[in-house]
Amino acid sequence: SVALPEAQLPAGVPLAGPDLHRLNPDTCTVLPVALGFVEAGDPLARRTLDAIEPLWNQDWTTGGYGRYDVSSEPDSPGAWPFASVFVARAAVEAGVPERTWRVLEWLGRTAGGAAGSFFENYGPRATPPFPQVGIVPWTWAEVVTLVVHHVLGIRPDGGGVRIRPRLLPGLDHCTARFPIGTSSLRLDVVRDGGRKTPLARVRLDGRRVEERESDDVTVPCTAGEVGVELILPGA
């Protein structure tokens, strides 16, 4: 199949070529896993992530996931940071954190990575002399979501704020503070190699109100200081 002439695609992009153009795999298929529509322990979550793996280093060697099969790319073939973080988020939920680390390490060594100023795409432009100049905030928003929503596990809930952290391997302690409504949430998460079960401690305005074996707690969004300490078993 060949793109229609009225598409006016640059001659160098994959979609303009004469070969078969595949739509799948597509990184957006991991979003139901990242967003919790597919349970993390469901085998479908892992199969979905495995199906995405051909998108890593499809037609390049520098790392990162493409948006979808490169044969249907109407733009520059190369890695897309925001799509790569889709996969990193889903990998935390599905229990394959080594893929999350691989994305983060790749982001750290890309151009602009140290400043968090990521190009939209990392690949040769098909229409010279246009350089890579598009720095989009979408990728930074995805990284923040990865850390807050998945690693720290802070997410809105009908009863307040649900906290269910999933520390990545090698990350044994994390402290964060968040304004939530009229409340201030302080979260301390530590990994204790000597523990066999998780332990959660909750304080409201400095007063301990709950202590139980759990790595999943919900706290109210009431005025005042909310403190949560979660001690996770060793990896």
Side-chain angles (χ1 to χ4, degrees), residues 39-109:
E39 290 293 331
D42 192 315
L44 178 61
R46 182 59 181 269
R47 291 200 302 270
T48 300
L49 278 164
D50 289 345
I52 293 300
E53 278 305 286
L55 299 182
W56 180 269
N57 267 347
Q58 286 182 90
D59 197 24
W60 52 88
T61 60
T62 52
Y65 289 91
R67 293 183 291 183
Y68 35 71
D69 192 288
V70 72
S71 65
S72 290
E73 179 59 74
D75 202 330
S76 304
W80 291 72
F82 66 77
S84 297
V85 186
F86 288 172
V87 182
R89 291 172 55 196
V92 175
E93 297 300 314
V96 280
E98 63 275 9
R99 298 184 192 179
T100 303
W101 271 126
R102 182 175 64 178
V103 170
L104 292 174
E105 289 166 353
W106 169 70
L107 288 174
R109 66 175 182 266

Side-chain angles (χ1 to χ4, degrees), residues 159-184:
V161 176
R162 183 186 177 196
I163 304 170
R164 192 210 64 176
R166 293 291 182 265
L167 295 185
L168 298 174
L171 181 62
D172 295 326
H173 180 225
C174 192
T175 299
R177 186 183 294 273
F178 296 91
I180 301 178
T182 57
S183 300
S184 175

